[in-house]
Amino acid sequence: MNEPVTEEKAEAVTSLTPAIHISVSPHDRASETTAAIMRDVVIALVPPLGMGVYAFGFRALLVIAVCVTSCILTEYFYQKLMKQPVTVSDLSAVVTGMILAVNMPAGIPLWMPLLGGVFAILVVKQLFGGLGQNIMNPALAARCFLLISFASAMTTFPDTVRTLFEAGAQSGATPLALVKAGESPDWTQMLLNTHNGCIGEASTIAVLIGAAYLLARRVITVHIPALYILSTVGFVCLINVIAGSADVITVNYLIAQICGGGLLIGAFFMANDYVTCPVTPWGQVIYACLLGLLTALFRVVGSSAEGVSFAIILGNLFVPLIERVTVPRPYGVSRKKGGRA
């Protein structure tokens, strides 16, 4: 017969047993935090936004302020109202506001970026569960919402700005619009100076400086941006050849496709979004090439000269399917039926 376990014996056994800490995965944690990553993105966005303010005046600065403020306040009041932990300090709302501002024309009425900020945070981010749960990039989804709802205001790019609250009456064509009309823009101006477009598209050099910072800090990798840019150029050429318009493919034409719109800033700042891009290596290849194909179709076949925003949010919707197809197969498991090989 076993001896009964007395209280003294139980205490003695407990004192000799080492403490076991049980926690959920991941058990190996990286040193980076969400706030640190978002801070790096904020720093990287300063050059393109700063160049936008230089190009379009203080009206652009006001649009940036409205975008960022509306995103921060929407997240704060929603989380307060729903009795959730307030996460404004992680800077994700600031990044959303800055990316939204990058995609805004300087002359847009100020209530539109305000509406865009509310839509990005409330509808696309918070109603899907908050950071890490959104199915598409919140800022780009808000831009597409504004493009569909207010197409004229979102595609009017002023040459000059009269005051802080009123954009000039003159409006200039973007390099991509000139290309689509059969004209040839000055590629040196696109690279070194400023040109018409959204606030963050004013200078290619400024965008590349921000991208270089993100790459140096290892916030992003070069794989998706490089494949996205190269596949866009390749598909643009292919579609023009199929359509019998191979004669339009010139050096200026290709430079305008890369530098004249939102391709660079979309590739480095939006297509690489941690939440909405694939994590599998082959998934990233398929995703980047899909973005290139969609962008080329929108630009060459579609009626609009641009197409990066719509291409990325459509690509975001395909990410779950892409990851399902490209997930690595465990050793010894058949891919067909999920059983043992």
Side-chain angles (χ1 to χ4, degrees):
M1 249 178 114
N2 295 330
E3 273 186 53
V5 179
T6 62
E7 187 176 345
E8 291 79 7
K9 285 186 178 182
E11 289 180 358
V13 170
T14 304
S15 63
L16 294 174
T17 304
I20 300 176
H21 299 283
I22 300 175
S23 64
V24 297
S25 60
H27 303 291
D28 187 12
R29 298 177 182 271
S31 58
E32 295 87 356
T33 63
T34 300
I37 293 171
M38 294 299 170
R39 183 171 61 248
D40 282 335
V41 179
V42 168
I43 294 171
L45 283 168
V46 169
L49 287 175
M51 200 63 180
V53 173
Y54 169 77
F56 303 113
F58 285 103
R59 184 58 162 67
L61 183 61
L62 197 59
V63 172
I64 296 169
V66 170
C67 288
V68 174
T69 303
S70 63
C71 288
I72 293 173
L73 293 180
T74 301
E75 182 164 305
Y76 176 82
F77 285 115
Y78 175 84
Q79 292 175 335
K80 278 290 187 182
L81 182 64
M82 302 303 293
K83 295 181 172 55
Q84 297 177 354
V86 177
T87 58
V88 173
S89 60
D90 66 11
L91 300 179
S92 61
V94 176
V95 169
T96 299
M98 294 179 76
I99 293 178
L100 179 61
V102 159
N103 293 283
M104 291 289 107
I108 193 171
L110 294 179
W111 62 268
M112 289 186 187
L114 173 63
L115 177 62
V118 173
F119 183 88
I121 297 297
L122 180 61
V123 178
V124 185
K125 182 180 178 183
Q126 294 299 333
L127 292 185
F128 278 92
L131 183 64
Q133 304 297 322
N134 46 281
I135 60 173
M136 62 181 69
N137 187 290
L140 288 185
R143 181 179 191 249
C144 292
F145 163 71
L146 293 175
L147 272 170
I148 295 170
S149 304
F150 315 105
S152 178
M154 287 291 293
T155 54
T156 301
F157 306 103
D159 284 333
T160 58
V161 176
R162 292 176 181 170
T163 68
L164 285 176
F165 301 97
E166 181 184 2
Q170 294 182 348
S171 178
T174 64
L176 285 181
L178 292 174
V179 164
K180 203 166 184 67
E183 301 180 33
S184 181
D186 183 3
W187 65 269
T188 57
Q189 186 181 27
M190 286 184 288
L191 288 174
L192 304 175
N193 204 338
T194 59
H195 56 269
N196 289 329
C198 294
I199 294 173
E201 301 170 5
S203 172
T204 300
I205 297 298
V207 174
L208 292 178
I209 290 172
Y213 177 81
L214 291 180
L215 290 170
R217 295 285 295 170
R218 297 185 179 180
V219 175
I220 64 172
T221 61
V222 76
H223 306 98
I224 290 178
L227 284 172
Y228 181 16
I229 295 167
L230 291 174
S231 62
T232 298
V233 173
F235 282 122
V236 164
C237 294
L238 179 62
I239 294 171
N240 275 299
V241 170
I242 294 174
S245 305
D247 56 318
V248 305
I249 304 174
T250 62
V251 173
N252 273 11
Y253 179 84
L254 296 179
I255 291 177
Q257 293 294 336
I258 297 173
C259 305
L263 179 59
L264 287 178
I265 202 159
F268 286 106
F269 289 91
M270 303 164 207
N272 258 329
D273 181 20
Y274 288 174
V275 179
T276 56
C277 75
V279 296
T280 59
W282 278 109
Q284 293 180 357
V285 173
I286 296 172
Y287 172 71
C289 293
L290 174 63
L291 295 187
L293 174 61
L294 291 173
T295 303
L297 286 172
F298 283 130
R299 287 185 172 186
V300 180
V301 181
S303 58
S304 173
E306 253 299 345
V308 171
S309 298
F310 285 105
I312 293 177
I313 64 169
L314 286 175
N316 293 160
L317 298 178
F318 281 96
V319 167
L321 177 61
I322 293 172
E323 289 193 325
R324 182 177 180 181
V325 173
T326 59
V327 64
R329 179 170 59 90
Y331 179 76
V333 176
S334 171
R335 183 180 292 277
K336 290 183 179 180
K337 296 184 180 180
R340 293 290 174 185

Short mmCIF file of all heavy atoms in Angstrom, two decimals, residues 22-60:
data_model
loop_
_atom_site.label_atom_id
_atom_site.label_comp_id
_atom_site.label_asym_id
_atom_site.label_seq_id
_atom_site.Cartn_x
_atom_site.Cartn_y
_atom_site.Cartn_z
N ILE A 22 4.84 28.69 -18.41
CA ILE A 22 4.14 28.28 -19.62
C ILE A 22 3.69 29.53 -20.37
O ILE A 22 3.04 30.41 -19.80
CB ILE A 22 2.93 27.40 -19.30
CG1 ILE A 22 3.39 26.14 -18.55
CG2 ILE A 22 2.18 27.02 -20.57
CD1 ILE A 22 2.27 25.27 -18.08
N SER A 23 4.04 29.65 -21.65
CA SER A 23 3.65 30.80 -22.46
C SER A 23 3.35 30.34 -23.87
O SER A 23 3.79 29.27 -24.30
CB SER A 23 4.76 31.87 -22.48
OG SER A 23 5.91 31.36 -23.11
N VAL A 24 2.60 31.14 -24.58
CA VAL A 24 2.26 30.82 -25.97
C VAL A 24 3.40 31.25 -26.87
O VAL A 24 4.24 32.06 -26.51
CB VAL A 24 0.95 31.52 -26.38
CG1 VAL A 24 -0.21 31.02 -25.54
CG2 VAL A 24 1.09 33.03 -26.27
N SER A 25 3.43 30.68 -28.07
CA SER A 25 4.45 31.06 -29.06
C SER A 25 4.16 32.48 -29.56
O SER A 25 3.02 32.96 -29.45
CB SER A 25 4.41 30.08 -30.23
OG SER A 25 3.14 30.11 -30.85
N PRO A 26 5.17 33.19 -30.10
CA PRO A 26 6.54 32.71 -30.31
C PRO A 26 7.37 32.79 -29.04
O PRO A 26 7.21 33.69 -28.23
CB PRO A 26 7.07 33.69 -31.35
CG PRO A 26 6.31 34.95 -31.09
CD PRO A 26 4.95 34.53 -30.62
N HIS A 27 8.26 31.81 -28.87
CA HIS A 27 9.12 31.77 -27.69
C HIS A 27 10.42 32.53 -27.91
O HIS A 27 11.04 33.00 -26.97
CB HIS A 27 9.41 30.32 -27.32
CG HIS A 27 8.18 29.51 -27.08
ND1 HIS A 27 7.35 29.70 -25.99
CD2 HIS A 27 7.60 28.52 -27.81
CE1 HIS A 27 6.34 28.85 -26.03
NE2 HIS A 27 6.46 28.13 -27.13
N ASP A 28 10.84 32.64 -29.17
CA ASP A 28 12.05 33.39 -29.52
C ASP A 28 11.61 34.74 -30.07
O ASP A 28 11.08 34.83 -31.18
CB ASP A 28 12.87 32.62 -30.56
CG ASP A 28 14.21 33.30 -30.82
OD1 ASP A 28 14.56 34.20 -30.04
OD2 ASP A 28 14.89 32.91 -31.80
N ARG A 29 11.80 35.77 -29.32
CA ARG A 29 11.28 37.09 -29.69
C ARG A 29 12.39 38.00 -30.20
O ARG A 29 13.50 37.98 -29.68
CB ARG A 29 10.58 37.75 -28.48
CG ARG A 29 9.39 36.96 -27.99
CD ARG A 29 8.77 37.60 -26.77
NE ARG A 29 7.66 36.80 -26.27
CZ ARG A 29 6.40 36.94 -26.66
NH1 ARG A 29 6.09 37.86 -27.57
NH2 ARG A 29 5.46 36.18 -26.17
N ALA A 30 12.06 38.79 -31.22
CA ALA A 30 13.03 39.74 -31.76
C ALA A 30 13.08 40.99 -30.90
O ALA A 30 12.15 41.28 -30.13
CB ALA A 30 12.66 40.10 -33.19
N SER A 31 14.16 41.73 -31.02
CA SER A 31 14.33 42.92 -30.20
C SER A 31 13.54 44.10 -30.74
O SER A 31 13.27 45.06 -30.01
CB SER A 31 15.81 43.29 -30.13
OG SER A 31 16.34 43.50 -31.43
N GLU A 32 13.16 44.05 -32.04
CA GLU A 32 12.42 45.17 -32.63
C GLU A 32 11.00 45.22 -32.08
O GLU A 32 10.37 44.19 -31.84
CB GLU A 32 12.37 45.05 -34.16
CG GLU A 32 13.71 45.17 -34.85
CD GLU A 32 14.42 43.85 -34.95
OE1 GLU A 32 13.88 42.86 -34.40
OE2 GLU A 32 15.50 43.78 -35.56
N THR A 33 10.50 46.41 -31.90
CA THR A 33 9.11 46.61 -31.48
C THR A 33 8.34 47.29 -32.60
O THR A 33 8.93 47.84 -33.54
CB THR A 33 9.04 47.48 -30.21
OG1 THR A 33 9.58 48.79 -30.51
CG2 THR A 33 9.84 46.86 -29.08
N THR A 34 7.03 47.24 -32.50
CA THR A 34 6.19 47.90 -33.51
C THR A 34 6.49 49.39 -33.57
O THR A 34 6.61 49.97 -34.66
CB THR A 34 4.71 47.68 -33.18
OG1 THR A 34 4.42 46.27 -33.17
CG2 THR A 34 3.82 48.36 -34.20
N ALA A 35 6.64 50.00 -32.41
CA ALA A 35 6.91 51.44 -32.37
C ALA A 35 8.25 51.77 -33.03
O ALA A 35 8.37 52.78 -33.74
CB ALA A 35 6.90 51.94 -30.92
N ALA A 36 9.27 50.93 -32.81
CA ALA A 36 10.59 51.19 -33.42
C ALA A 36 10.53 51.07 -34.94
O ALA A 36 11.11 51.89 -35.67
CB ALA A 36 11.62 50.22 -32.85
N ILE A 37 9.82 50.06 -35.44
CA ILE A 37 9.69 49.89 -36.89
C ILE A 37 8.92 51.06 -37.49
O ILE A 37 9.32 51.62 -38.52
CB ILE A 37 8.99 48.56 -37.20
CG1 ILE A 37 9.88 47.39 -36.78
CG2 ILE A 37 8.64 48.47 -38.68
CD1 ILE A 37 9.20 46.04 -36.86
N MET A 38 7.82 51.44 -36.85
CA MET A 38 7.02 52.55 -37.36
C MET A 38 7.79 53.86 -37.31
O MET A 38 7.65 54.72 -38.18
CB MET A 38 5.71 52.67 -36.56
CG MET A 38 4.78 51.49 -36.72
SD MET A 38 4.23 51.28 -38.43
CE MET A 38 3.42 49.68 -38.33
N ARG A 39 8.63 54.02 -36.31
CA ARG A 39 9.45 55.23 -36.23
C ARG A 39 10.40 55.32 -37.41
O ARG A 39 10.61 56.40 -37.98
CB ARG A 39 10.22 55.25 -34.90
CG ARG A 39 11.05 56.51 -34.70
CD ARG A 39 11.62 56.58 -33.30
NE ARG A 39 12.49 55.46 -33.01
CZ ARG A 39 12.20 54.50 -32.11
NH1 ARG A 39 11.06 54.53 -31.45
NH2 ARG A 39 13.05 53.50 -31.90
N ASP A 40 10.97 54.19 -37.79
CA ASP A 40 11.85 54.18 -38.97
C ASP A 40 11.09 54.54 -40.24
O ASP A 40 11.61 55.25 -41.11
CB ASP A 40 12.51 52.81 -39.12
CG ASP A 40 13.66 52.60 -38.15
OD1 ASP A 40 14.26 53.61 -37.72
OD2 ASP A 40 13.96 51.44 -37.82
N VAL A 41 9.86 54.05 -40.36
CA VAL A 41 9.04 54.38 -41.54
C VAL A 41 8.71 55.87 -41.55
O VAL A 41 8.72 56.52 -42.61
CB VAL A 41 7.76 53.53 -41.58
CG1 VAL A 41 6.91 53.90 -42.79
CG2 VAL A 41 8.10 52.04 -41.62
N VAL A 42 8.41 56.42 -40.39
CA VAL A 42 8.14 57.86 -40.29
C VAL A 42 9.35 58.66 -40.76
O VAL A 42 9.22 59.61 -41.55
CB VAL A 42 7.76 58.25 -38.84
CG1 VAL A 42 7.75 59.77 -38.67
CG2 VAL A 42 6.39 57.68 -38.48
N ILE A 43 10.53 58.27 -40.31
CA ILE A 43 11.75 58.98 -40.71
C ILE A 43 11.96 58.86 -42.21
O ILE A 43 12.34 59.82 -42.89
CB ILE A 43 12.96 58.41 -39.94
CG1 ILE A 43 12.83 58.72 -38.44
CG2 ILE A 43 14.27 58.99 -40.48
CD1 ILE A 43 13.87 58.03 -37.58
N ALA A 44 11.71 57.68 -42.77
CA ALA A 44 11.91 57.46 -44.20
C ALA A 44 10.92 58.25 -45.05
O ALA A 44 11.21 58.60 -46.21
CB ALA A 44 11.80 55.97 -44.52
N LEU A 45 9.75 58.54 -44.51
CA LEU A 45 8.74 59.30 -45.26
C LEU A 45 8.99 60.81 -45.22
O LEU A 45 8.36 61.55 -45.99
CB LEU A 45 7.35 58.99 -44.71
CG LEU A 45 6.74 57.65 -45.13
CD1 LEU A 45 5.51 57.33 -44.29
CD2 LEU A 45 6.38 57.64 -46.61
N VAL A 46 9.87 61.25 -44.35
CA VAL A 46 10.14 62.70 -44.24
C VAL A 46 10.72 63.28 -45.54
O VAL A 46 10.26 64.35 -45.98
CB VAL A 46 11.05 62.99 -43.04
CG1 VAL A 46 11.56 64.43 -43.07
CG2 VAL A 46 10.30 62.72 -41.74
N PRO A 47 11.71 62.65 -46.20
CA PRO A 47 12.24 63.25 -47.44
C PRO A 47 11.20 63.43 -48.54
O PRO A 47 11.09 64.54 -49.10
CB PRO A 47 13.34 62.27 -47.85
CG PRO A 47 13.78 61.63 -46.58
CD PRO A 47 12.55 61.50 -45.77
N PRO A 48 10.39 62.40 -48.92
CA PRO A 48 9.40 62.65 -49.98
C PRO A 48 8.33 63.67 -49.58
O PRO A 48 7.92 64.50 -50.39
CB PRO A 48 8.79 61.27 -50.25
CG PRO A 48 9.16 60.44 -49.08
CD PRO A 48 10.43 60.97 -48.56
N LEU A 49 7.89 63.63 -48.32
CA LEU A 49 6.88 64.60 -47.89
C LEU A 49 7.49 66.00 -47.79
O LEU A 49 6.84 66.99 -48.14
CB LEU A 49 6.29 64.18 -46.55
CG LEU A 49 5.34 62.98 -46.59
CD1 LEU A 49 4.90 62.60 -45.19
CD2 LEU A 49 4.12 63.27 -47.46
N GLY A 50 8.72 66.08 -47.32
CA GLY A 50 9.40 67.39 -47.26
C GLY A 50 9.59 67.99 -48.64
O GLY A 50 9.41 69.20 -48.83
N MET A 51 9.94 67.16 -49.61
CA MET A 51 10.09 67.65 -50.98
C MET A 51 8.74 68.06 -51.55
O MET A 51 8.65 69.00 -52.35
CB MET A 51 10.72 66.57 -51.85
CG MET A 51 11.33 67.09 -53.12
SD MET A 51 12.71 68.22 -52.77
CE MET A 51 13.22 68.65 -54.42
N GLY A 52 7.67 67.38 -51.13
CA GLY A 52 6.34 67.78 -51.55
C GLY A 52 5.96 69.15 -51.02
O GLY A 52 5.34 69.96 -51.75
N VAL A 53 6.34 69.42 -49.77
CA VAL A 53 6.07 70.75 -49.21
C VAL A 53 6.88 71.81 -49.95
O VAL A 53 6.40 72.91 -50.24
CB VAL A 53 6.39 70.76 -47.70
CG1 VAL A 53 6.28 72.17 -47.13
CG2 VAL A 53 5.46 69.82 -46.95
N TYR A 54 8.13 71.47 -50.28
CA TYR A 54 8.97 72.41 -51.04
C TYR A 54 8.37 72.68 -52.42
O TYR A 54 8.40 73.82 -52.90
CB TYR A 54 10.37 71.83 -51.18
CG TYR A 54 11.25 72.59 -52.15
CD1 TYR A 54 11.84 73.79 -51.80
CD2 TYR A 54 11.48 72.09 -53.43
CE1 TYR A 54 12.65 74.49 -52.69
CE2 TYR A 54 12.29 72.78 -54.33
CZ TYR A 54 12.86 73.98 -53.96
OH TYR A 54 13.65 74.66 -54.85
N ALA A 55 7.83 71.65 -53.06
CA ALA A 55 7.31 71.80 -54.42
C ALA A 55 5.97 72.51 -54.46
O ALA A 55 5.73 73.35 -55.33
CB ALA A 55 7.19 70.42 -55.08
N PHE A 56 5.08 72.18 -53.52
CA PHE A 56 3.70 72.67 -53.60
C PHE A 56 3.35 73.70 -52.53
O PHE A 56 2.23 74.20 -52.51
CB PHE A 56 2.73 71.49 -53.51
CG PHE A 56 2.96 70.43 -54.56
CD1 PHE A 56 3.40 69.17 -54.21
CD2 PHE A 56 2.75 70.72 -55.90
CE1 PHE A 56 3.63 68.20 -55.18
CE2 PHE A 56 2.96 69.75 -56.88
CZ PHE A 56 3.40 68.50 -56.51
N GLY A 57 4.27 74.01 -51.64
CA GLY A 57 4.02 75.07 -50.67
C GLY A 57 3.40 74.56 -49.38
O GLY A 57 3.23 73.36 -49.15
N PHE A 58 3.05 75.50 -48.52
CA PHE A 58 2.53 75.16 -47.20
C PHE A 58 1.16 74.51 -47.26
O PHE A 58 0.72 73.89 -46.29
CB PHE A 58 2.48 76.41 -46.31
CG PHE A 58 3.83 76.84 -45.81
CD1 PHE A 58 4.48 77.91 -46.39
CD2 PHE A 58 4.45 76.14 -44.78
CE1 PHE A 58 5.74 78.30 -45.93
CE2 PHE A 58 5.69 76.52 -44.32
CZ PHE A 58 6.35 77.61 -44.90
N ARG A 59 0.47 74.63 -48.39
CA ARG A 59 -0.81 73.94 -48.54
C ARG A 59 -0.62 72.43 -48.44
O ARG A 59 -1.45 71.71 -47.87
CB ARG A 59 -1.43 74.32 -49.89
CG ARG A 59 -2.83 73.75 -50.13
CD ARG A 59 -3.79 74.20 -49.04
NE ARG A 59 -5.17 74.07 -49.39
CZ ARG A 59 -5.82 72.92 -49.60
NH1 ARG A 59 -5.18 71.79 -49.54
NH2 ARG A 59 -7.11 72.93 -49.89
N ALA A 60 0.50 71.94 -48.97
CA ALA A 60 0.82 70.52 -48.85
C ALA A 60 1.05 70.13 -47.40
O ALA A 60 0.64 69.05 -46.95
CB ALA A 60 2.04 70.19 -49.70
#
